[in-house]
Amino acid sequence: MHERTWDAAFLNTLCTGGTTAMDLIAHAGAGLLGTGDLSIVAERDLYAARVAARVRIWTLEATMATMATMATMATMATMAAWADPG
């Protein structure tokens, strides 16, 4: 978990909203998740794919809590290619 990947693939996932089903602009327009929260979601998904486990985001914030447990097996399979580009 002590690695950070801020490459083009990560930034693309951040802009498209990753597993949230809404892009960054839609989140901003609706007043939901900002760039910081979306980066936490994207990093969670990357980590979950790397360790092949469900990973929960611990938060007291109501909006972020809706995204806390969205990493499913399908999500992890999708993110696995991103986690291991080689």
Side-chain angles (χ1 to χ4, degrees):
M1 174 88 188
H2 301 287
E3 294 179 21
R4 290 179 191 84
T5 303
W6 284 79
D7 58 9
F10 178 84
L11 294 175
N12 183 57
T13 299
L14 182 65
C15 291
T16 61
T19 58
T20 68
M22 292 174 66
D23 65 15
L24 175 60
I25 295 170
H27 277 287
L32 297 173
L33 300 180
T35 307
D37 288 340
L38 283 173
S39 70
I40 292 169
V41 171
E43 288 179 354
R44 181 272 317 269
D45 293 342
L46 177 62
Y47 180 73
R50 194 167 49 239
V51 298
R54 288 188 66 159
V55 179
R56 185 181 190 291
I57 298 169
W58 185 91
T59 182
L60 294 176
E61 184 182 70
T63 304
M64 186 63 158
T66 63
M67 303 298 157
T69 57
M70 291 191 67
T72 63
M73 294 306 283
T75 300
M76 291 188 298
T78 301
M79 297 300 289
W82 183 45
D84 186 19

